[in-house]
Amino acid sequence: MAGRLLKVSSLATAALASSGFYLHNRQLDLNDLSLIRFGRAAVTTAIISYDYLTSFKTIEYGTEEYWSLRSKVHRRSAERLRDLCCANRGTFIKVGQHLGALDYLLPEEYTSTLKVLHSRAPQSSMEEIKQVIREDLGKELSELFVSFEESPQGAASLAQVHKAVLHDGRTVAVKVQHPKVQTQSSKDIVVMEVLVRAVHWLFPDFAFMWLVEEAKKNMPLELDFLNEGRNAERVARMLAHFSFLKVPEIHWDLSTKRILTMDFAQGGQVNDRDYMRRHGINVNEISENLGKMYSEMIFVHGFVHCDPHPGNVLVRKCPQSKNTEIVLLDHGLYQVLQPDFRLDYCRLWQSLIRGDMSGVERYSRRLGAGDLYPLFACVLTARSWTAVNSGISSTPVTHTEDVEIRTNAALYLPQISELLNRVPRQMLLLLKTNDLLRGIETTLQTRAASSSFINMSRCCIRAVARHKRSKARTRTRRLQITLSESFGLWQISMYELFLWVKGSALGCWVAALLGLLH
């Protein structure tokens, strides 16, 4: 027996030694092994699940001690999830960033902890970048560029961007995909699907399959940089009438599925108030123009840029015209809205702005919310049910209401999960986009400004009128629709003029005079 054990141990030692020697010679990163990545994710999931299963056994639900402990469990679970994303990188960081953007859908402990993933993305080595360029473009860096900065301008979960100069003197940004992301992404999504199903089996209220389904659908699109280039050109054509919007031009001769070369754009991030103050940029103008862009994308065209986090939206003063410009970057993730969905969404927002509760219920149900329509209205607007009933355009946002909304996100997590599984898949990226835009408005302190509702109302009126015209059978009916549209837009313009006069020095003087006379 001792002899057999000695032989087995000798063979095992030899196998381990040869495996170690093989891995060392190949300079293989253990993090690239699917078994390691799955094991790390499974262990983290098990620890988080065990924490939730055991922490509340001796605590009475609803007590102050319960809520305090729940917050602590949320926080340490979010930290474990963040550490897992940082360790596994790639797709895990991308999904973690997505969760971190859902400010009004997830508990604050999760969103605040996962937000740091935007600045914790991995960097590929310069040798890896050169290898990708060599494989995809068939040339060395020196043959393609006069200069190529080794330190990236920015690193994201799927790629990093380097500044370079072409032989004709033009400065470009070269976005290069991390070399291992393509091979790892499909396996990572399978791992996530298995673990999410396991957690759902343990906690039936946890219904986050929508997250895996979205990752499965969107990741291949985001990893195809030629698709990103086509999206960039499409949105540039679509919004060409907005002179303040700049989309960097694509250099197709230096672009592949893993490399995207575009004009280099400078500017400050849209949430950098110090940059705007130094460069004389009006935050209200930026917020209004951002609202115009996204209202047009969502309500009129149904082709929506779904990743407007601050790193993808730059602001600057044009050196020539001195006008304020918005530069829109990273066009990998777009949502195409079906016409019927888009029109119901238009009418729902019109009802929300007016405080038309029968319309809110009708169009929320048509969008799949069912009996959860009050929760859906609150999630969509990030407003309380009281504010929704009063009409969100006429009820200012308060700090107390914001705290209430964030608290309710934790209290109603099972219902929110159920709602997200009910609504059409198109709605999920719109909710993420809404939350990112609200985050920017909150930073700029322009949240719930009247201009945003005015822009949305204009776009909704245009979209509904366009749809009605397409269905009209007679010229008379089309004329009636056009006149009705013009009247609706005129009413909005008059209301906008009234608000401008009311806020001007003349308006303040007239109001004071009337007050004295009264």
Side-chain angles (χ1 to χ4, degrees):
M1 180 64 74
R4 286 183 184 177
L5 285 174
L6 183 62
K7 285 181 181 179
V8 171
S9 62
S10 299
L11 285 170
T13 303
L16 285 170
S18 59
S19 299
F21 181 73
Y22 173 74
L23 292 174
H24 176 74
N25 278 352
R26 289 195 62 188
Q27 295 183 324
L28 189 65
D29 185 351
L30 289 177
N31 194 57
D32 297 340
L33 299 176
S34 298
L35 185 62
I36 298 292
R37 299 169 68 78
F38 174 77
R40 190 184 285 136
V43 168
T44 302
T45 303
I47 292 171
I48 291 174
S49 300
Y50 182 78
D51 201 358
Y52 276 104
L53 281 169
T54 59
S55 293
F56 306 102
K57 282 187 175 180
T58 60
I59 306 295
E60 185 182 347
Y61 177 82
T63 61
E64 189 175 331
E65 186 182 2
Y66 174 87
W67 296 121
S68 174
L69 178 61
R70 180 169 169 150
S71 178
K72 290 174 184 174
V73 175
H74 280 337
R75 179 74 62 188
R76 60 180 179 249
S77 298
E79 288 169 355
R80 287 167 181 148
L81 191 58
R82 177 202 62 204
D83 294 342
L84 169 65
C85 293
C86 290
N88 275 6
R89 299 177 298 196
T91 308
F92 280 83
I93 285 187
K94 191 72 182 175
V95 172
Q97 289 173 343
H98 183 39
L99 289 172
L102 302 177
D103 273 316
Y104 296 89
L105 298 179
L106 294 178
E108 186 275 336
E109 293 87 351
Y110 275 91
T111 55
S112 62
T113 302
L114 294 175
K115 267 182 171 50
V116 303
L117 291 175
H118 282 293
S119 58
R120 296 274 290 273
Q123 281 191 24
S124 293
S125 68
M126 194 58 206
E127 193 48 52
E128 288 174 316
I129 296 298
K130 288 179 180 177
Q131 184 63 27
V132 172
I133 289 173
R134 200 179 294 124
E135 289 172 2
D136 282 32
L137 296 177
K139 292 182 179 180
E140 297 296 331
L141 275 183
S142 57
E143 298 177 78
L144 298 167
F145 308 102
V146 173
S147 66
F148 190 95
E149 290 187 4
E150 294 197 4
S151 179
Q153 294 286 308
S157 53
L158 306 181
Q160 61 194 53
V161 178
H162 292 260
K163 186 178 180 181
V165 178
L166 300 175
H167 286 284
D168 62 8
R170 286 180 294 174
T171 304
V172 293
V174 186
K175 183 175 180 178
V176 184
Q177 196 172 111
H178 298 309
K180 299 164 188 172
V181 169
Q182 284 275 7
T183 55
Q184 290 173 347
S185 64
S186 56
K187 298 172 188 173
D188 286 347
I189 290 170
V190 171
V191 168
M192 290 179 197
E193 186 169 9
V194 169
L195 295 177
V196 167
R197 287 188 187 279
V199 173
H200 179 56
W201 179 75
L202 280 172
F203 305 94
D205 286 342
F206 179 91
F208 272 68
M209 279 310 299
W210 58 270
L211 184 65
V212 177
E213 290 166 11
E214 284 301 291
K216 195 184 292 185
K217 182 185 76 175
N218 294 321
M219 195 56 64
L221 296 174
E222 290 194 75
L223 289 171
D224 181 359
F225 288 176
L226 294 177
N227 175 65
E228 180 178 342
R230 289 190 292 270
N231 287 343
E233 290 194 337
R234 179 175 172 181
V235 81
R237 289 192 303 271
M238 192 175 83
L239 302 181
H241 55 288
F242 289 139
S243 58
F244 60 80
L245 175 62
K246 301 299 171 186
V247 177
E249 185 181 341
I250 307 298
H251 296 258
W252 289 108
D253 57 324
L254 294 173
S255 297
T256 68
K257 278 196 169 189
R258 295 194 297 170
I259 300 169
L260 188 66
T261 305
M262 66 205 97
D263 286 347
F264 183 79
Q266 286 184 307
Q269 291 192 2
V270 71
N271 63 344
D272 190 344
R273 289 177 62 89
D274 289 337
Y275 175 90
M276 294 191 206
R277 188 170 56 252
R278 290 197 308 271
H279 291 82
I281 295 172
N282 186 323
V283 293
N284 292 309
E285 182 185 354
I286 291 295
S287 185
E288 182 176 352
N289 287 342
L290 200 58
K292 283 180 182 177
M293 280 165 45
Y294 271 88
S295 293
E296 187 97 5
M297 281 192 257
I298 293 169
F299 299 114
V300 179
H301 300 284
F303 184 66
V304 190
H305 179 282
C306 287
D307 203 11
H309 75 77
N312 291 338
V313 185
L314 305 182
V315 295
R316 68 185 187 189
K317 281 276 190 183
C318 176
Q320 289 77 36
S321 66
K322 302 301 179 186
N323 292 330
T324 301
E325 295 178 339
I326 294 176
V327 183
L328 196 59
L329 305 174
D330 198 344
H331 300 270
L333 188 59
Y334 271 75
Q335 181 65 275
V336 179
L337 307 181
Q338 297 305 314
D340 289 343
F341 172 92
R342 180 169 53 84
L343 287 164
D344 284 338
Y345 193 64
C346 277
R347 290 174 171 130
L348 173 57
W349 269 105
Q350 286 179 310
S351 301
L352 287 165
I353 290 168
R354 292 194 302 261
D356 171 12
M357 297 315 296
S358 63
V360 169
E361 180 178 356
R362 182 186 315 119
Y363 294 111
S364 293
R365 288 183 180 278
R366 287 180 63 163
L367 289 168
D371 293 336
L372 294 174
Y373 74 88
L375 178 63
F376 181 54
C378 294
V379 162
L380 194 60
T381 58
R383 302 297 303 272
S384 67
W385 184 237
T386 303
V388 171
N389 272 278
S390 304
I392 56 174
S393 62
S394 57
T395 312
V397 180
T398 64
H399 176 68
T400 305
E401 185 188 9
D402 247 0
V403 171
E404 179 188 342
I405 289 290
R406 291 179 184 277
T407 303
N408 287 342
L411 289 175
Y412 296 107
L413 188 57
Q415 291 88 340
I416 290 172
S417 295
E418 183 186 346
L419 176 66
L420 295 178
N421 277 299
R422 279 189 189 185
V423 296
R425 301 296 91 182
Q426 300 168 79
M427 182 62 69
L428 300 176
L429 283 179
L430 277 186
L431 290 173
K432 173 196 172 185
T433 305
N434 283 346
D435 273 356
L436 286 168
L437 290 172
R438 268 194 291 266
I440 291 170
E441 288 178 343
T442 300
T443 304
L444 298 181
Q445 297 175 8
T446 58
R447 175 97 186 276
S450 58
S451 61
S452 64
F453 296 122
I454 287 169
N455 291 325
M456 289 171 72
S457 297
R458 276 201 180 102
C459 288
C460 288
I461 287 171
R462 287 169 52 207
V464 171
R466 179 190 288 184
H467 172 72
K468 287 180 178 178
R469 268 194 299 271
S470 71
K471 300 292 183 183
R473 295 184 178 179
T474 65
R475 187 175 297 177
T476 304
R477 177 60 184 147
R478 284 194 291 272
L479 179 60
Q480 286 176 337
I481 293 165
T482 301
L483 289 173
S484 176
E485 176 190 12
S486 299
F487 180 67
L489 294 173
W490 176 80
Q491 283 182 309
I492 290 174
S493 296
M494 290 299 99
Y495 178 64
E496 193 173 25
L497 178 62
F498 164 73
L499 290 177
W500 178 80
V501 170
K502 184 180 175 183
S504 67
L506 175 63
C508 293
W509 182 81
V510 170
L513 181 61
L514 290 173
L516 286 172
L517 291 173
H518 179 70

